[in-house]
């Protein structure tokens, strides 16, 4: 690993140790990161240094360190007070959680303020925390690595907006390429003179300079930063989108233009009340919206995707060996969940193998969803039986999982719903089903009913009890029973096998 490069040119391992050297450390160690930005300060504690880490603790303070920096050249005094209070709290929390060291990275505001060095010294003296101050290009690199943690196959432009800067980085083949920093943060834009016309001209001029450095017309843009997430949440509100998970939410260029205009035409206080966006965040949304609008006009992407992962996740990615980086985050998260919550960890793989004859011809994108569903099929067993199906659906659709698009979330959740319930009629989540086509809805039902049968057919391994064969042309679903399977094939198993055959539009046959 290369380590993090600070503004002094030092290359530092921010955690002071390898996080992935031993399996025991990967499984058990809690890793804490604090991101001291121009607007917000956030502490995240990851529960282990895994490929798809779980979030043990997450707290954010909108300190506003960089507010007024362009005018005064110094950190905002009120922001310094709030930041110091938050960092004192975070240091004590980390100690209570057994997180050592707590890695702290500071970006634009601290690196540019004349009193930034004094602030760093005061933080270390009063809290014991050492702030690693990084420059704009390093900030862009770490944010881009955060996106790669969530999207291993990501290709395109990562755009990370903070309070005082906006960074761009190009990613492809799991690597971060060209990167550049710009003064397009909302706090800085508040000081631009010339009214609306002057602001638009300034943003356009800076954006054209960025094109010269990083190239134009990137098909995909990944959006990192609280202001982008706020705009995405407002886009959901405007479109009456049925889901509010921001990670991997997609917007078209046309939608961005319409939403920026819609925001300008509406009362921010009303929008804030409808969406739950904080007051300090929504005040910056109109300026951030102008930047996003020009970003779309300048780079002409086909799609924009929201990432909840950024610098903090990028620091973890920095530590990962290449072999770990190449693993599927969804499958890794599903395996971890099965180990922690299933009655019989390891059964999911056997269930997947038993069901392979039904899904042998699916592509890799569908296959990974089937594999994940099998790993997760028994992880809600502690829920009340009357609510187990809905709990499965809700857990998956709202879970902090990576490498999972919104339609894929719904597909996976619906398959798990059908694992516990034959019908999805009258489901309180019915509005989300609109994100899937009729064929996808049917395929999810088939998968769910297949798991519903296979999961109870045998306690140890369904292949010890029998083997499935599916003949699509003949419309026949065959189950060849072993001697053990003949004893296990009771009334409930028979009913579930028939239900699976009905879902496939096939005739059930047992031998």
């Amino acid at each position: 690993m290369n380590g993090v490069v600070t503004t002094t040119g030092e290359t530092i391992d921010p955690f002071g140790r390898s996080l992935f050297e031993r399996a025991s450390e990967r499984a058990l160690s809690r890793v804490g990161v604090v991101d001291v930005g121009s607007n917000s300060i956030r502490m995240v504690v990851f529960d282990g240094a895994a490929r798809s880490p779980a979030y043990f603790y997450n707290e954010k303070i909108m300190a506003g360190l960089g507010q007024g920096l362009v005018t005064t050249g110094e950190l905002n005094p009120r922001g310094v007070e709030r930041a110091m209070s938050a960092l004192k709290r975070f240091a004590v929390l980390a100690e209570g959680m057994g997180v050592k060291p707590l890695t702290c990275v500071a970006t634009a505001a601290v690196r540019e303020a004349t009193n930034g060095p004094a602030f760093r010294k005061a933080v270390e003296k009063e809290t014991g925390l050492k702030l690693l101050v990084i420059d704009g290009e390093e900030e862009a690199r770490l944010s881009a690595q955060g996106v790669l943690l969530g999207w291993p196959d990501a290709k395109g432009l990562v755009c990370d907006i903070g309070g005082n800067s906006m960074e761009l980085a190009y990613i492809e083949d799991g690597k971060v390429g060209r990167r550049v920093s710009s003064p397009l943060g909302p706090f800085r834009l508040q000081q631009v003179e010339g009214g609306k016309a002057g602001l638009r001209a300034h943003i356009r001029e800076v954006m054209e300079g960025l094109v010269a450095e990083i190239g134009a017309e990137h098909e995909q843009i990944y959006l990192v930063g609280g202001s982008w997430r706020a705009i995405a949440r407002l886009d959901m509100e405007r479109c009456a989108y049925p889901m509010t998970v921001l990670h991997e939410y997609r917007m078209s260029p046309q939608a961005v233009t319409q939403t920026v205009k819609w925001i300008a035409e509406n009362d921010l206080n009303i929008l804030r009340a409808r969406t739950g966006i904080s007051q300090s965040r929504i005040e910056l949304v109109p300026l951030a919206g102008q930047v996003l609008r020009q970003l779309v006009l300048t780079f002409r992407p086909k799609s924009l995707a929201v990432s909840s992962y950024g610098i903090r996740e990028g620091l973890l990615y920095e530590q990962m060996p290449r072999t770990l980086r190449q693993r599927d985050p969804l499958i890794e998260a599903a395996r971890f969940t099965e180990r922690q919550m299933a009655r019989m960890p390891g059964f999911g793989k056997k269930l997947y193998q038993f069901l392979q004859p039904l899904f042998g011809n699916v592509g890799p994108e569908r296959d990974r969803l089937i594999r994940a569903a099998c790993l997760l099929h028994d992880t809600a067993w502690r829920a009340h039986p009357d609510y187990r199906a809905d709990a499965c659906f809700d857990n998956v659709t709202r879970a902090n999982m990576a490498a999972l698009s919104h339609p894929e979330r719904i597909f996976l959740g619906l398959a798990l719903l059908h694992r516990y319930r034959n019908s999805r009629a009258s489901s309180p989540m019915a509005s989300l089903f609109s994100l899937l086509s009729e064929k996808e809805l049917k395929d999810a039902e088939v998968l769910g009913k297949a798991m519903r049968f296979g999961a109870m057919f045998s306690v140890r391994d369904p292949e010890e009890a029998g083997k499935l064969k599916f003949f699509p042309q003949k419309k026949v679903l065959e189950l060849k029973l072993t001697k053990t399977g003949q004893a296990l094939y009771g009334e409930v198993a028979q009913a579930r096998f028939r239900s699976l055959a009905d879902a496939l539009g096939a005739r059930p046959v047992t031998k």
Side-chain angles (χ1 to χ4, degrees), residues 171-412:
I171 51 176
E172 184 178 7
D173 297 328
K175 299 177 182 177
V176 183
R178 292 162 292 172
R179 48 196 185 272
V180 62
S181 183
S182 74
L184 288 179
F187 283 157
R188 227 178 253 283
L189 296 177
Q190 288 173 340
Q191 311 304 320
V192 174
E193 299 178 350
K196 293 182 179 179
L199 178 65
R200 284 195 297 269
H202 173 74
I203 294 172
R204 183 169 57 250
E205 181 181 354
V206 174
M207 204 74 73
E208 288 171 355
L210 295 176
V211 169
E213 294 191 58
I214 207 162
E217 297 190 10
H218 299 275
E219 289 193 3
Q220 182 70 56
I221 292 181
Y222 301 89
L223 300 174
V224 177
S227 291
W228 295 153
R229 290 193 295 273
I231 291 172
R233 179 65 187 88
L234 291 166
D235 185 70
M236 290 175 169
E237 185 69 19
R238 179 184 67 84
C239 301
Y241 190 72
M243 195 173 182
T244 55
V245 174
L246 288 167
H247 187 62
E248 297 217 18
Y249 179 63
R250 305 276 174 152
M251 294 184 289
S252 68
Q254 295 78 14
V256 167
T257 301
Q258 292 168 8
T259 295
V260 170
K261 181 181 178 183
W262 180 76
I263 292 170
E265 294 171 346
N266 282 272
D267 186 312
L268 288 181
N269 288 323
I270 294 175
L271 295 181
R272 175 176 175 267
R274 287 165 58 180
T275 58
I277 299 170
S278 70
Q279 182 66 44
S280 54
R281 177 69 73 194
I282 205 160
E283 288 174 354
L284 302 180
V285 160
L287 288 171
Q290 293 303 312
V291 176
L292 187 57
R293 175 182 170 276
Q294 188 58 53
L295 183 77
V296 165
L297 292 173
T298 302
F299 289 97
R300 301 183 182 281
K302 290 184 178 179
S303 176
L304 299 95
V306 177
S307 173
S308 294
Y309 297 171
I311 286 178
R312 298 169 296 276
E313 291 77 13
L315 286 165
L316 277 186
Y317 190 85
E318 177 84 5
Q319 295 275 313
M320 291 181 184
R322 182 177 177 82
T323 53
L324 188 60
R325 290 180 177 184
Q326 292 174 334
R327 293 182 188 174
D328 188 329
L330 171 62
I331 301 303
E332 292 297 301
R335 283 175 178 154
F336 178 82
T337 303
E338 185 194 37
R339 285 196 301 270
Q340 297 294 312
M341 301 177 68
R343 282 172 289 192
M344 297 186 66
F347 184 85
K349 181 178 180 180
K350 296 173 183 177
L351 178 61
Y352 169 78
Q353 293 169 340
F354 175 68
L355 299 180
Q356 274 297 288
L358 304 181
F359 308 109
N361 296 323
V362 301
E365 292 303 312
R366 177 59 57 82
D367 180 71
R368 65 192 289 270
L369 295 181
I370 295 169
R371 188 185 298 267
C374 289
L375 291 169
L376 295 169
H377 86 280
D378 189 45
T379 55
W381 68 275
R382 290 184 182 273
H384 189 284
D386 291 347
Y387 300 101
R388 202 170 286 159
D390 292 334
C392 281
F393 185 92
D394 200 50
N395 287 345
V396 169
T397 54
R398 302 182 194 281
N400 200 345
M401 288 183 172
L404 194 64
S405 70
H406 283 196
E408 287 173 335
R409 282 179 183 270
I410 304 304
F411 181 92
L412 186 55

